[in-house]
Amino acid sequence: MPHITVDYSPQLADAFDRPGFVRELHPLVREWVASRGVCKTFFRPAAETWVDGSDGQVTAFVHIAIGLLPGRPEGLKARLSEEVLRLLDKHLRPVLGREVVRSAEVRDLAASYRLRTGW
C-alpha cells in the first residue's frame, strides 16, 4: 500500500516522463497519507483511448488511480488528487495539436486487499 495505476493514451508515450513522475510521486503519496508502506505503480498504455466528443486522434488522456487502506478523510483524498495532477503537469509535455484530459482519484482499497513481499 499505496497501490497506484496510471493509464495513459499511447500517443503520450514520448511526452510523458514516467520515471521522473514516479520518482516524485512515491514520496509525495507516502507523505500525504503518512504511509510507511511500499508504493507500487503500474503504468499502462491503453491500446485505444476515446474521449467523449472526440475521434480518439485529437484528445488523449491520463488517469491516475491511487488505492489506499480505508480510513483517510475524503478531504485529504481530494487534496492529494489535486497535488498528483500538479505533479503530472510537471512531467507531461504538451503534444502539438492534441488536447490532454488529466484525472486522478484516490480511493479505498477493498477489504480483501492483501500484500506479500519477499519469498
Side-chain angles (χ1 to χ4, degrees):
M1 199 280 301
H3 183 90
I4 305 165
T5 305
V6 181
D7 294 301
Y8 63 95
S9 297
Q11 304 93 328
L12 301 175
D14 293 337
F16 187 6
D17 174 18
R18 294 177 302 282
F21 176 69
V22 80
R23 273 192 302 272
E24 291 188 53
L25 178 66
H26 287 182
L28 173 80
V29 171
R30 281 194 307 267
E31 179 182 329
W32 269 83
V33 301
S35 173
R36 292 178 296 159
V38 177
C39 280
K40 301 158 302 297
T41 298
F42 299 92
F43 287 95
R44 300 186 302 197
E48 290 185 41
T49 60
W50 299 90
V51 176
D52 192 30
S54 75
D55 64 5
Q57 299 301 312
V58 178
T59 305
F61 79 87
V62 177
H63 178 72
I64 303 159
I66 301 172
L68 304 173
L69 292 176
R72 272 74 177 197
E74 290 301 316
L76 180 137
K77 291 189 264 188
R79 290 189 306 276
L80 176 56
S81 292
E82 289 292 335
E83 289 299 316
V84 168
L85 288 175
R86 273 194 270 287
L87 181 62
L88 174 63
D89 287 346
K90 178 179 171 184
H91 292 279
L92 183 63
R93 291 188 327 270
V95 178
L96 187 62
R98 188 173 302 279
E99 178 185 2
V100 181
V101 175
R102 301 165 312 284
S103 60
E105 71 171 313
V106 178
R107 58 177 170 70
D108 291 341
L109 292 167
S112 62
Y113 177 80
R114 299 293 185 270
L115 172 68
R116 289 192 177 135
T117 61
W119 284 102

